[in-house]
Amino acid sequence: MKRMYCREIRESYVQEAEVAGWIHDIRNLGGIAFILLRDRTGILQLTLLKKPNKELFKHLTTLTRESVIRTKGKVQRSEKVMNGFEILPESAEVLSVAAVPLPLGVADKVESELDTRLDNRFLDLRKKEVRKIFYLRSLLLKSVRRTLENEEFIETHTPKIVAAATEGGTELFPFRYFEREAYLNQSPQLYKQILMSTGFDRVYEIGPAFRAEGHDTVRHLNEFTSIDIEMAFSNHHDVMDLLERVIVEGYETVRKEAPELMEGMNIPENVEAFPRITYTEALDIAKKKGLRIEWGEDLSMEALRLIAGESPDLYFITDWPDAIKPFYAMPGEDDRTCRSFDLMYREKEVTSGAQRVHDYELLKKRIADRGLDIEDFGFYLNAFKYGMPPHAGWGLGAERWVMTVAGLENIREAVLFPRDMHRLVP
Ligand code: AMO
């Protein structure tokens, strides 16, 4: 007999079925007992009568919560249970007995501290509302891949063990690589740009990025998943257009393919384009609301909250001061801005991107002007010497995106096993 999921028992009427899963709860009333069995699709009631099979009754009702069993029995329609169907077990096999007490309750409604939950993530992930976040995450990533593949992007994998910094040089994790020092990569930035010189003119990568930043906040991780794209023969506006399509398709995918995930999610309806306001315009909003801030300063959380108050949920801030953005950003028409943009969800930055400098001499100068060592960037600069088309791209933080969609307070909830300043295990 083929094992069926709890949900299938609800949906199709079969006379006999085999199911397997975890014991969510047991209610023993003496002559009759109810066992709630849980699998990835939901919960099913097993109803046991003592009379016909005393042995089986005793065997199952004395099990601990979260033990794993497989059972076969008659399927019976029942008005009293949520699914409309229950199983009357005729035989059962205990596959694993759970120890007591559980370090974290699964069936109980009590809220646990995030730290306790993350310490016992294998139990925490048995909860429906926690698992929902990861179904959402998986679906959004599937949608991103589909959108990009439809637009003829190819999936690439660039090294995570590297010799040079990408985003400035301060936030790297160094480690010993045979006789040398190497680092965990902060971003595929340099490699995705190198690929633009090869003729792979549309690439994407979904992979880990490592940042040794000492920010102990609800928005920062030391290892996150970066969704990166790079596109040749295009400018910053082209890749902002693409980002809109990727995000909107993500929402559509959840709406169409997983309506059961929609409850409680921040999925806006009928959005197609996100407004693009310049840094200067954003600054003016904050200033008008009384904030003292000078042109050229990075936008503080306080400034971003004021700006978000005047904007729809999703909006771009474009044309940033050149001095506060990385060397690879293309300078604007004036002498103070660059073609960089951020996609914001309210006051949170979800994506950064830019049109890049593709001129060898200008790029070399910008690296030197930032006090970086040209020697370190030789492997990167070489790709600009022998024919490099104009290009642009962005990096979308998977966890930041999931966080905004699922309305999570803490980014750690969007990662199975988060890495932060204090957490290296599990
Ligand atoms: P940036 O450094 O802004 O840009 O990163 C891009 C996006 O990655 C996410 N992100 C983070 N998520 C969690 N924890 C962190 N510590 C963290 N740091 C960044 C954010 C952010 O918007 N190379 C450029 C991208 C590009 O221009 O293509 C870059 O890495 O969502």
Side-chain angles (χ1 to χ4, degrees):
M1 198 182 290
K2 191 177 157 276
R3 177 171 71 93
M4 293 176 80
Y5 281 128
C6 290
R7 192 176 49 205
E8 294 178 291
I9 304 295
R10 170 173 37 178
E11 282 168 358
S12 65
Y13 190 64
V14 281
Q15 288 182 330
E16 276 224 304
E18 180 180 317
V19 288
W22 289 257
I23 292 185
H24 191 69
D25 199 12
I26 300 178
R27 223 153 30 102
N28 186 350
L29 306 179
I32 188 168
F34 305 103
I35 295 180
L36 297 182
L37 186 80
R38 190 187 67 240
D39 68 15
R40 63 176 280 178
T41 65
I43 288 174
L44 181 76
Q45 180 169 293
L46 310 177
T47 302
L48 284 161
L49 292 170
K50 198 173 192 171
K51 264 260 174 71
N53 197 338
K54 247 190 183 158
E55 279 293 296
L56 184 69
F57 188 91
K58 192 167 161 224
H59 194 42
L60 291 183
T61 53
T62 50
L63 280 172
T64 50
R65 273 188 187 182
E66 297 306 314
S67 294
V68 182
I69 63 164
R70 187 196 335 250
T71 181
K72 252 187 250 177
K74 281 220 161 56
V75 176
Q76 180 170 288
R77 198 182 273 277
S78 164
E79 300 292 302
K80 293 195 202 91
V81 297
M82 217 164 54
N83 312 10
F85 293 97
E86 62 190 345
I87 284 188
L88 311 178
E90 281 161 3
S91 65
E93 193 184 340
V94 177
L95 303 173
S96 170
V97 176
V100 276
L102 294 168
L104 183 79
V106 177
D108 328 286
K109 285 278 174 286
V110 272
E111 291 253 326
S112 313
E113 292 283 326
L114 184 58
D115 264 331
T116 314
R117 290 180 40 205
L118 294 175
D119 286 343
N120 300 285
R121 198 57 155 163
F122 66 97
L123 282 171
D124 187 46
L125 287 163
R126 294 183 190 185
K127 296 182 198 151
K128 192 176 155 201
E129 66 279 15
V130 177
R131 282 224 307 281
K132 194 172 151 174
I133 298 167
F134 296 93
Y135 285 127
L136 172 77
R137 184 181 159 126
S138 169
L139 196 58
L140 288 176
L141 289 179
K142 173 174 139 187
S143 168
V144 168
R145 287 200 172 87
R146 189 162 55 197
T147 308
L148 293 173
E149 296 280 344
N150 283 344
E151 303 213 15
E152 294 185 47
F153 279 77
I154 66 160
E155 182 163 13
T156 56
H157 294 94
T158 62
K160 303 304 151 207
I161 301 178
V162 296
T166 313
E167 310 292 318
T170 49
E171 303 151 352
L172 284 161
F173 284 114
F175 67 95
R176 236 177 94 90
Y177 187 68
F178 303 107
E179 299 308 312
R180 275 175 294 171
E181 184 163 75
Y183 308 95
L184 291 175
N185 207 2
Q186 301 166 305
S187 154
Q189 185 65 37
L190 305 185
Y191 291 93
K192 63 180 183 170
Q193 284 195 263
I194 292 174
L195 290 176
M196 291 302 99
S197 82
T198 66
F200 289 134
D201 62 4
R202 291 166 170 238
V203 301
Y204 75 97
E205 176 164 357
I206 300 176
F210 305 92
R211 306 265 167 118
E213 41 204 357
H215 299 312
D216 200 356
T217 78
V218 293
R219 285 172 293 116
H220 289 92
L221 293 161
N222 294 104
E223 177 178 354
F224 68 95
T225 301
S226 187
I227 305 168
D228 270 272
I229 70 107
E230 202 68 25
M231 191 167 140
F233 304 102
S234 60
N235 65 24
H236 51 315
H237 284 292
D238 298 325
V239 293
M240 280 190 263
D241 293 346
L242 171 69
L243 181 56
E244 285 169 348
R245 295 195 292 277
V246 165
I247 301 264
V248 170
E249 257 317 294
Y251 295 152
E252 278 305 298
T253 300
V254 180
R255 215 193 299 281
K256 281 196 210 123
E257 295 179 26
E260 73 281 4
L261 291 182
M262 287 290 288
E263 199 195 317
M265 297 284 172
N266 299 319
I267 297 198
E269 264 179 69
N270 305 323
V271 281
E272 273 168 25
F274 315 141
R276 296 173 193 187
I277 59 168
T278 65
Y279 164 88
T280 309
E281 288 164 346
L283 199 74
D284 285 344
I285 295 174
K287 275 185 178 164
K288 272 206 195 102
K289 294 202 167 178
L291 189 75
R292 287 184 53 178
I293 182 168
E294 292 300 315
W295 199 97
E297 280 178 48
D298 204 353
L299 299 176
S300 59
M301 209 10 111
E302 200 185 351
L304 289 169
R305 285 213 177 92
L306 297 174
I307 298 158
E310 298 292 295
S311 312
D313 283 353
L314 285 151
Y315 59 99
F316 286 104
I317 302 179
T318 66
D319 304 271
W320 286 76
D322 189 26
I324 58 171
K325 288 290 178 183
F327 65 81
Y328 51 74
M330 176 73 105
E333 315 276 79
D334 53 28
D335 57 4
R336 59 176 196 168
T337 63
C338 63
R339 295 185 171 182
S340 254
F341 60 85
D342 283 355
L343 176 67
M344 309 296 300
Y345 181 89
R346 299 183 189 152
E347 72 284 349
K348 286 190 197 81
E349 176 202 314
V350 184
T351 312
S352 282
Q355 181 178 342
R356 328 294 191 184
V357 173
H358 63 283
D359 179 78
Y360 174 72
E361 293 300 334
L362 177 60
L363 191 57
K364 214 164 86 172
K365 180 174 178 304
R366 286 173 66 88
I367 292 175
D369 285 352
R370 308 258 163 151
L372 299 167
D373 191 349
I374 291 287
E375 300 274 302
D376 289 345
F377 292 88
F379 75 98
Y380 167 68
L381 282 165
N382 261 338
F384 290 75
K385 263 206 250 178
Y386 308 98
M388 173 62 94
H391 58 277
W394 43 253
L396 159 64
E399 293 80 9
R400 292 265 179 101
W401 190 24
V402 169
M403 193 182 172
T404 62
V405 178
L408 305 175
E409 297 285 329
N410 195 317
I411 195 164
R412 290 163 183 77
E413 292 198 66
V415 197
L416 289 171
F417 302 102
R419 290 290 174 264
D420 64 24
M421 282 176 75
H422 311 290
R423 186 171 287 281
L424 191 53
V425 217

